Amino acid sequence: DGEETGLHGAAAFAREHPWAKEVAVVLNFEARGVFGPSLMFETGAGNLDVVRMLQRVPGTRATSISTAVYRRLPNDTDLSEMSVLGQPAMNFAFIGGVERYHTAEDDPDHLAPGTLQHHGEQALALARAFGNEDLPRPATPDAVFFFAPVIGAVAYAESWAMPLAALALALALAAFVMRCRTDESWGWSLWAGIRMAGFALLVAPVVGFVVGGRLVWLHSQQVLGSGTPRWSSVYGFAVAAISVAIVLLSYALARRRAGPAAWPAALLLWAIVSLVVARLMPGASFLITWPVLAAAIAEALSAWRPRSLTIARVGPAAATVVAVVLVAPTAYLMVCVALGLDAIGA
């Protein structure tokens, strides 16, 4: 009770009610829109155990990026007050149609029945799962976790983030060294590869920032009509297409004089970025580490067997699938659905 006016009910329960001392797990269910899947977007500290429990529930949607980002936002829910209990916790919400949130159209007529069903299915399944296990739950560290098609849920302790990023860097370095054997101008290739990746890393975010900001401004001035461009999938795909075009441009500019060692050299820069992210925000590290790791493995195999057309074709294709499967849905969910395609989001 009284969540919108200051989390009063949750605060009263957590700080004053005698039942609060008996709580072993907190599951909080929210709504920030009217449709879309129920997303697990926040956890308490030491979430590896509850995330592994979440793996047992079919149809779950969660990523440690949302947890890492939400912990840095000023937003609050009832879970903010319940966290004083110091127990394992998970927070769920559906956020599609956020433009209707707290408006006259935030009503049952616009609520998708399937969304409410998904909310309820997860609540029931998790209540049963935790109820059939020992309580209280064991203490565990925080986790890096994500859900991928076919594979399903992937979760591992954050302590693995740095070693995995270091492994990606080592494989990229090994591929570079092997490529240098057949690249007489490897020094130029090293410069070309780093310049290629650096160009994309610097220019794409700047262009996205400018485009996102201008789109919001043009709509605020009704130059492009009214509406909410922050939640537009069309604009989201447009910004993504611009980013891809910038990467292809950097590739085109570098390939003319670059030798075979240029491509693992470009991966070296991405692997360094992966290390930095793993250190500063391990929950978001998988988004860079796993694509870089897949690409480094493909490049190392290709350098090891340079005459194998199968490796030369299958390796990069598989690495591309890994990158697209991880990056595309996560970027769409975090930007077009959750945070909004303003300048920062873009």
Side-chain angles (χ1 to χ4, degrees):
D1 182 55
E3 194 255 12
E4 299 292 355
T5 56
L7 313 177
H8 300 306
F13 177 84
R15 301 172 191 276
E16 301 175 23
H17 202 288
W19 288 355
K21 297 178 181 179
E22 301 179 24
V23 172
V25 177
V26 179
L27 302 175
N28 192 55
F29 291 83
E30 296 282 345
R32 184 177 167 245
V34 293
F35 65 87
S38 177
L39 308 168
M40 200 285 289
F41 67 95
E42 182 191 13
T43 70
N47 58 29
L48 180 58
D49 175 69
V50 293
V51 168
R52 284 175 175 167
M53 190 69 77
L54 194 64
Q55 291 176 303
R56 304 183 188 182
V57 180
T60 53
R61 305 284 185 88
T63 167
S64 52
I65 285 186
S66 63
T67 298
V69 171
Y70 195 84
R71 287 177 179 177
R72 289 163 171 79
L73 295 176
N75 305 42
D76 284 306
T77 68
D78 282 329
L79 192 63
S80 303
E81 288 293 341
M82 299 296 284
S83 64
V84 303
L85 301 177
Q87 298 298 337
M90 288 190 287
N91 213 351
F92 297 78
F94 49 89
I95 57 179
V98 66
E99 63 272 12
R100 288 193 169 98
Y101 183 52
H102 285 183
T103 72
E105 293 184 343
D106 193 0
D107 58 21
D109 289 339
H110 291 91
L111 176 62
T115 290
L116 194 60
Q117 181 71 24
H118 192 212
H119 231 22
E121 287 174 352
Q122 292 192 100
L124 179 59
L126 286 167
R128 285 173 171 165
F130 282 112
N132 289 329
E133 296 287 336
D134 292 333
L135 297 175
R137 302 300 303 167
T140 57
D142 274 336
V144 178
F145 56 94
F146 56 92
F147 287 71
V150 182
I151 298 175
V154 178
Y156 52 91
E158 281 189 350
S159 58
W160 282 93
M162 285 294 289
L164 285 171
L167 177 61
L169 178 61
L171 285 171
L173 182 60
F176 175 75
V177 171
M178 286 188 287
R179 288 295 193 190
C180 287
R181 298 173 184 174
T182 57
D183 190 347
E184 296 180 356
S185 57
W186 63 265
W188 173 256
S189 294
L190 175 64
W191 164 241
I194 292 177
R195 183 181 62 184
M196 175 176 60
F199 179 86
L201 273 167
L202 292 174
V203 176
V206 171
V207 172
F209 182 89
V210 172
V211 170
R214 291 298 293 176
L215 285 172
V216 172
W217 182 83
L218 288 170
H219 275 270
S220 70
Q221 303 298 312
Q222 295 194 346
V223 176
L224 296 178
S226 59
T228 51
R230 291 182 63 198
W231 314 113
S232 169
S233 299
V234 174
Y235 285 154
F237 285 117
V239 172
I242 292 172
S243 299
V244 171
I246 290 171
V247 173
L248 293 177
L249 174 62
S250 68
Y251 170 80
L253 293 175
R255 69 178 297 188
R256 296 178 181 178
R257 298 183 60 184
W263 321 126
L267 281 177
L268 285 173
L269 183 57
W270 276 105
I272 292 172
V273 173
S274 174
L275 275 173
V276 173
V277 174
R279 176 67 180 86
L280 298 179
M281 191 184 287
S285 61
F286 75 89
L287 198 63
I288 302 177
T289 297
W290 286 101
V292 172
L293 189 58
I297 291 173
E299 186 64 21
L301 288 174
S302 183
W304 180 48
R305 298 287 189 185
R307 296 183 180 180
S308 173
L309 291 178
T310 301
I311 292 177
R313 292 171 180 170
V314 174
T320 300
V321 169
V322 171
V324 171
V325 164
L326 289 180
V327 173
T330 304
Y332 174 78
L333 178 64
M334 292 299 297
V335 179
C336 297
V337 179
L339 300 178
L341 193 79
D342 54 10
I344 301 291

